[in-house]
Amino acid sequence: MSPTELSADLLHASDRTSLSKDSFKRAFIDNLFYTQGKFLQVATHKDYYQALAYTVRDRLLYRWVSTATAYTGQVSRTVSYLSAEFLMGPSLGNTLINLGILDEVRQAVGELGLDLTDLLDQEAEPGLGNGGLGRLAACFIDSLATLELPALGYGIRYEHGIFYQTIVDGWQVENTDNWLRYGNPWEIRRPEWSVEVKIGGFTETYTDTEDRHRVRWVPAKTVVGVPFDSPIPGYRVNTANTLRLWSAEATQSFDFEVFNRGDYLGAVNKKVTSENLTKILYPNDETPQGKELRLEQQYFFVACSLHDMIRILKGQGGSIERFHEKFAVQLNDTHPAIGVAELMRILVDDYLLPWNDAWSITTQTFGYTNHTLLPEALERWPLDLFRRLLPRHLELIFEINERFLHDVRVAFLGDEARVRALSLIDETGERYVRMAHLATVGSHAVNGVATLHSDLLKKDVLADFYALSPQKFHSITNGVTPRRWLALANPRLCELFRETIGDGWAKELDQLRRLERHADDAAFAERWRAIKLDNKRQLADLIVQRTGIEVDPESMFDVQVKRIHEYKRQHLAVLQIIAMYHRLKSDPNAEVLPRTFIFSGKAAPGYAIAKLMIRLITAIGDVINYDPEVRGRLKVVFMPNFSVTTGQRIYPGADLSEQISLAGKEASGTGNMKFAMNGALTIGTMDGANIEICEEVGSDNFFTFGMTAAQVEERRRAGYDPREVIEANPELHAVVELIRNGLFSRGDTELFKPIIDGLLWHDTYMLAADYASYSDCQLEVDRAYRDTARWTRMSILNVARSGKFSSDRSIQEYADKIWKVTPVSVPLL
Ligand code: CBF
């Protein structure tokens, strides 16, 4: 019997594989006993969760091993998705959905006297990302597995993920995230595939045996990257791909020489510094900080991942010249862009390939996704820092640049301005390496994440690159996985889907279209409303639990959840809330629709204005929520610690989704999609994917306001003075005065001055210019909401037409346009 047959035999006989309820219960008790060392009567909820997680993981491992076996036997191209962030969210619920065993497991644990929901709540969320970009990576690996595409997600196993946010006296307080405190049952450490990564030092030249000049990198230190693997199951398929996250360890845990000299602390110093590398996720969204450790983190995980791919290639008997045929490597933003130089280094220095061959392999390997147009978000590294950490890579980047700029000069004779604009090195002041340029030059495909964003990339941020190689540019609109964001988050709505149109939508979201024919069915609409109300009740419970604020589920839930950032304009919503409050105070009988405004999101710890915006939201809540004259008609809530888990509770309970960024600033947005597919209507600017959502659901079912991206540019060019606009709008003027005079700061006129001054003197994100249009649009929202039948119909149509926004569609486009990969079906062993 061969080893594979032998293990297949064992698998079939095992309680670790079977999906039957009895075998599941036996396995659960077994895990409780043998992995947790507990029995039912004394175990805690955490123990139960761990035992359940291991029981489910065992079933997953069977698929994982089958997948690995299927992949080993064939040579089809594999996608390597390189991302510094993977905001996965808890695994247990999602795994149960994807394996199709949620109901059985609920029953099995129920028969043991346990409640599955309680157990799901025990899981610590791995917050290994800041926001949209990291969450997109998580949706994408779910879709890759669901579409049965061979893929590996590569990233960093941060010991501490995004900070845990609490609100103290109305202010954001950051607390250390400790997601690994109880261990992580979903990962397996694979020390046998560790990689040694060199850092720092210098380079030297030498002559090889064939008398050619070569360069050798002599590093200052070496760190070991240890992979931790988690299985990523596709939805109702046998495929379980791998998420491989790298953790830094020291080459030696203890330096005996130093210890023997009596320096006890010094003996462990190296270990501590090496392991610091993957200690913490940088909590900045869209504002990279030029910190040395950050560049080290980026290089570390990229170097580990490329070496791992070469190990796999070699293991399959492939030659390095065929690297690009085996791997399509996608750069999730510029964070892994150093991969271009690292692959060149490996090919030229380690494998001694001629430059042109190495360059051809490299450019055929990489694809680059840009996620932002904000100039301040484009990563640049000071040359000195770069040289100190990666001396050889800097030399290679210079050489790439020299060759590239030669091509530019030939393409645009005499246009030295263009040469400077395209250069990989920014020479305008202190010299920097421009990572977006490195990624663009080193990739065969570059894409934006929504149509407008891709157009603006071509027109603005990467315009010169587009002029040079237009064929490289693509647009792939983002998407989100319907498994987590519908099946898991909104079970009641999905039950209605199941009864009405069956289950196919979870894999082919376009099938939701079939709901359209029920949009005018009164009984169906009634059930739709009842589900929304139920979801709102649950959300109201969560709100009171987390904030102490009671809200009325019958009021409209008007929600803005996302990172706190000036360009996203949470403060525009705040101005509008104050205006409504003012209206009510001026005329207590004024017709103001009862609304509950729900905000949630984290501000980067060093981003003072964003933190002040949180303070302003909590401050207006403190006034409005307790004003007897308002009689609960308006409530303002700030939900602490927005996360994947919190999102799963918020999206299904929302009536109105606020997507109000200044047009041209939000690359795509993905929260906007989650809201729409959960039946919330959007009030939004013509920005990012809002435009496509509006196109899909129809402008009658979407509330648009504000300037378009082109109008924003025009207005700026014409000279924009926010004070003029504010003076001319009595409502807005009154609002600004209320804040300025200290209504929300107990008379303190200094507290919110930075926000007010910003608005009056700069208004970079043009709140004043869009205010009137936003305000009018909110009146239209009021009118629509009062007409219950109309609102419900709009809500149904939003869901029915949200099929485009599945990440399965996005991934299929990447597979066809960029990666050229095809599915591999996995037989179970
Ligand atoms: O593409 C995914 C998301 O990425 C961001 O969050 C980012 O970090 N650059 C953008 O801000 C979002 O618009 C985008 O949806």
Side-chain angles (χ1 to χ4, degrees):
M1 202 182 258
S2 75
T4 327
E5 281 165 331
L6 180 67
S7 42
D9 232 41
L10 283 174
L11 283 171
H12 291 300
S14 163
D15 254 355
R16 297 188 143 191
T17 312
S18 160
L19 295 178
S20 87
K21 202 170 60 186
D22 286 339
S23 115
F24 194 90
K25 275 159 66 181
R26 275 199 305 277
F28 174 79
I29 305 283
D30 187 79
N31 271 318
L32 191 63
F33 197 87
Y34 290 107
T35 60
Q36 295 306 106
K38 295 274 180 77
F39 49 94
L40 270 178
Q41 288 73 7
V42 298
T44 63
H45 269 68
K46 281 265 179 296
D47 295 317
Y48 294 138
Y49 160 72
Q50 294 272 350
L52 180 58
Y54 280 111
T55 308
V56 174
R57 191 188 81 172
D58 287 344
R59 273 124 191 99
L60 200 48
L61 290 185
Y62 177 33
R63 281 165 172 72
W64 204 14
V65 171
S66 301
T67 305
T69 310
Y71 288 173
T72 310
Q74 50 79 51
V75 287
S76 87
R77 208 173 189 211
T78 298
V79 177
S80 292
Y81 198 79
L82 260 58
S83 179
E85 304 186 5
F86 280 94
L87 192 48
M88 297 300 292
S91 288
L92 180 55
N94 191 66
T95 306
L96 295 178
I97 297 266
N98 282 10
L99 293 183
I101 55 172
L102 182 72
D103 293 334
E104 289 79 351
V105 169
R106 192 183 294 284
Q107 251 189 37
V109 296
E111 288 173 18
L112 293 169
L114 299 167
D115 178 33
L116 181 63
T117 312
D118 285 350
L119 301 190
L120 291 173
D121 284 348
Q122 300 302 314
E123 185 170 345
E125 176 172 335
L128 310 187
N130 273 283
L133 173 146
R135 183 53 230 174
L136 185 79
C139 287
F140 277 8
I141 47 172
D142 177 272
S143 286
L144 279 160
T146 298
L147 296 180
E148 301 178 281
L149 295 169
L152 275 154
Y154 281 112
I156 302 176
R157 182 179 178 271
Y158 301 102
E159 196 178 320
H160 303 287
I162 186 76
F163 61 88
Y164 186 90
Q165 179 198 54
T166 48
I167 301 295
V168 178
D169 298 331
W171 293 96
Q172 164 174 298
V173 172
E174 300 96 25
N175 309 271
T176 312
D177 157 69
N178 244 333
W179 72 288
L180 287 168
R181 186 175 28 210
Y182 294 100
N184 174 13
W186 303 99
E187 67 186 10
I188 293 184
R189 186 171 182 266
R190 307 272 197 206
E192 68 277 23
W193 295 333
S194 294
V195 175
E196 289 212 348
V197 179
K198 301 185 250 184
I199 293 173
F202 56 91
T203 61
E204 57 188 21
T205 48
Y206 69 99
T207 312
D208 69 13
T209 46
E210 284 162 41
D211 224 23
R212 284 174 306 204
H213 286 300
R214 296 274 174 205
V215 181
R216 182 160 45 215
W217 177 16
V218 184
K221 65 174 180 185
T222 307
V223 178
V224 178
V226 181
F228 284 71
D229 287 358
S230 299
I232 307 296
Y235 177 75
R236 310 277 165 103
V237 287
N238 295 336
T239 305
N241 282 335
T242 298
L243 173 62
R244 183 159 291 160
L245 301 182
W246 298 95
S247 178
E249 292 186 7
T251 36
Q252 274 184 321
S253 60
F254 193 77
D255 189 332
F256 255 107
E257 233 178 86
V258 179
F259 180 77
N260 288 338
R261 275 190 262 127
D263 182 0
Y264 306 125
L265 275 182
V268 291
N269 236 350
K270 259 197 186 154
K271 176 175 163 64
V272 174
T273 359
S274 302
E275 293 177 2
N276 274 347
L277 201 72
T278 48
K279 220 4 111 221
I280 185 142
L281 164 81
Y282 278 90
N284 302 310
D285 195 47
E286 313 250 11
T287 41
Q289 286 176 336
K291 290 278 192 306
E292 187 162 331
L293 185 64
R294 173 81 175 151
L295 180 57
E296 256 184 81
Q297 287 184 336
Q298 296 183 349
Y299 176 64
F300 166 77
F301 97 89
V302 167
C304 288
S305 309
L306 284 169
H307 283 77
D308 195 55
M309 290 176 230
I310 294 172
R311 175 186 62 77
I312 295 170
L313 175 73
K314 294 275 179 73
Q316 294 189 346
S319 79
I320 195 76
E321 286 82 2
R322 309 223 122 154
F323 184 84
H324 57 289
E325 290 171 18
K326 176 66 194 162
F327 289 104
V329 180
Q330 193 64 26
L331 304 172
N332 196 26
D333 218 282
T334 54
H335 315 146
I338 185 63
V340 171
E342 173 65 358
L343 185 57
M344 283 301 285
R345 189 194 67 73
I346 295 171
L347 298 175
V348 172
D349 292 355
D350 295 351
Y351 286 89
L352 308 179
L353 257 52
W355 181 277
N356 286 343
D357 295 357
W359 187 240
S360 159
I361 295 170
T362 300
T363 50
Q364 289 183 76
T365 298
F366 288 106
Y368 159 51
T369 306
N370 172 289
H371 292 267
T372 187
L373 295 162
L374 302 185
E376 68 271 26
L378 295 175
E379 280 193 308
R380 304 179 312 163
W381 292 104
L383 240 54
D384 285 348
L385 187 155
F386 212 99
R387 186 176 291 114
R388 195 163 60 246
L389 285 186
L390 302 168
R392 179 58 185 143
H393 297 78
L394 189 60
E395 290 172 0
L396 290 163
I397 288 171
F398 282 148
E399 176 139 14
I400 295 170
N401 199 31
E402 202 181 299
R403 289 166 184 256
F404 167 62
L405 293 183
H406 171 75
D407 294 346
V408 174
R409 288 195 172 95
V410 171
F412 303 102
L413 290 187
D415 192 348
E416 280 305 304
R418 208 185 281 257
V419 171
R420 276 193 299 280
L422 282 162
S423 174
L424 306 195
I425 310 297
D426 183 342
E427 316 247 10
T428 47
E430 191 191 345
R431 296 170 81 209
Y432 293 95
V433 181
R434 294 163 160 162
M435 298 308 272
H437 292 208
L438 177 62
T440 305
V441 173
S443 299
H444 64 92
V446 176
N447 75 286
V449 290
T451 307
L452 173 70
H453 171 232
S454 306
D455 288 346
L456 293 174
L457 272 183
K458 293 193 266 190
K459 203 167 116 315
D460 191 7
V461 180
L462 298 176
D464 293 312
F465 287 97
Y466 179 62
L468 196 63
S469 356
Q471 76 291 349
K472 262 194 194 183
F473 283 74
H474 301 266
S475 179
I476 302 186
T477 299
N478 283 343
V480 302
T481 166
R483 273 72 66 181
R484 183 174 292 274
W485 297 111
L486 272 173
L488 186 61
N490 203 341
R492 292 180 200 81
L493 190 63
C494 296
E495 183 50 34
L496 181 61
F497 293 169
R498 203 184 59 73
E499 282 175 37
T500 320
I501 58 167
D503 277 336
W505 59 269
K507 212 160 170 164
E508 275 177 49
L509 200 60
D510 277 328
Q511 290 192 20
L512 290 178
R513 283 259 172 208
R514 297 196 206 144
L515 293 170
E516 266 194 46
R517 70 176 89 105
H518 302 273
D520 294 311
D521 169 345
F524 184 81
E526 193 58 46
R527 290 186 66 190
W528 191 271
R529 271 195 298 277
I531 289 167
K532 182 58 88 180
L533 186 60
D534 247 13
N535 289 341
K536 288 170 74 176
R537 286 203 180 105
Q538 296 236 330
L539 178 53
D541 289 347
L542 188 71
I543 290 174
V544 76
Q545 198 185 309
R546 297 243 180 115
T547 67
I549 301 170
E550 299 221 5
V551 300
D552 177 6
E554 302 279 346
S555 64
M556 176 202 278
F557 279 12
D558 176 336
V559 188
Q560 191 173 13
V561 292
K562 46 183 77 235
R563 287 298 289 242
I564 311 293
H565 204 296
E566 289 162 280
Y567 86 80
K568 295 182 188 277
R569 303 200 294 190
Q570 280 91 355
H571 44 345
L572 177 59
V574 165
L575 296 177
Q576 177 58 203
I577 299 171
I578 299 173
M580 288 181 185
Y581 175 61
H582 191 219
R583 232 174 280 155
L584 256 177
K585 292 292 279 185
S586 320
D587 172 9
N589 296 320
E591 285 242 331
V592 170
L593 181 86
R595 286 203 202 205
T596 299
F597 298 93
I598 301 166
F599 293 87
S600 197
K602 294 176 185 177
Y607 189 177
I609 285 278
K611 290 171 102 170
L612 194 58
M613 282 159 70
I614 295 182
R615 183 64 193 102
L616 179 58
I617 295 168
T618 58
I620 62 167
D622 288 345
V623 172
I624 296 177
N625 296 347
Y626 303 100
D627 183 337
E629 260 185 317
V630 173
R631 293 192 304 274
R633 279 187 285 173
L634 299 179
K635 282 270 168 92
V636 182
V637 172
F638 189 91
M639 278 278 271
N641 202 44
F642 187 60
S643 60
V644 174
T645 322
T646 316
Q648 284 171 207
R649 318 272 290 264
I650 291 181
Y651 297 116
D655 291 308
L656 187 67
S657 151
E658 298 267 352
Q659 305 301 332
I660 60 179
S661 51
L662 177 65
K665 297 292 174 193
E666 188 70 87
S668 162
T670 43
N672 45 7
M673 303 169 184
K674 296 166 198 164
F675 277 113
M677 62 179 67
N678 277 282
L681 306 191
T682 308
I683 179 164
T685 45
M686 287 294 95
D687 199 14
N690 293 353
I691 299 176
E692 289 156 74
I693 296 178
C694 180
E695 272 164 18
E696 289 294 301
V697 305
S699 53
D700 292 353
N701 303 304
F702 192 104
F703 302 99
T704 49
F705 75 93
M707 296 175 285
T708 62
Q711 287 165 341
V712 167
E713 282 318 305
E714 239 174 72
R715 184 86 188 254
R716 240 192 252 292
R717 241 179 283 122
Y720 171 60
D721 181 356
R723 273 161 309 161
E724 256 174 36
V725 185
I726 294 171
E727 292 298 321
N729 182 331
E731 179 179 284
L732 180 56
H733 184 258
V735 168
V736 169
E737 287 305 302
L738 288 176
I739 305 176
R740 204 219 301 256
N741 294 333
L743 173 63
F744 303 105
S745 44
R746 296 179 181 263
D748 178 350
T749 50
E750 288 301 306
L751 183 61
F752 297 120
K753 198 164 183 293
I755 292 181
I756 295 300
D757 283 354
L759 194 57
L760 291 171
W761 300 103
H762 314 288
D763 196 17
T764 317
Y765 298 102
M766 298 175 131
L767 279 70
D770 272 350
Y771 180 83
S773 157
Y774 180 53
S775 186
D776 290 346
C777 194
Q778 287 288 14
L779 291 176
E780 179 50 36
V781 169
D782 275 8
R783 273 192 290 278
Y785 194 77
R786 284 180 206 283
D787 182 346
T788 312
R790 175 180 168 208
W791 186 274
T792 311
R793 185 173 190 281
M794 292 169 83
S795 166
I796 296 171
L797 292 178
N798 264 264
V799 175
R801 297 171 182 175
S802 63
K804 174 174 176 185
F805 304 104
S806 164
S807 44
D808 298 347
R809 189 266 315 142
S810 314
I811 287 298
Q812 193 58 58
E813 285 187 35
Y814 279 95
D816 296 341
K817 294 190 204 167
I818 296 181
W819 303 327
K820 317 282 184 215
V821 289
T822 45
V824 171
S825 67
V826 173
L828 287 179
L829 290 173

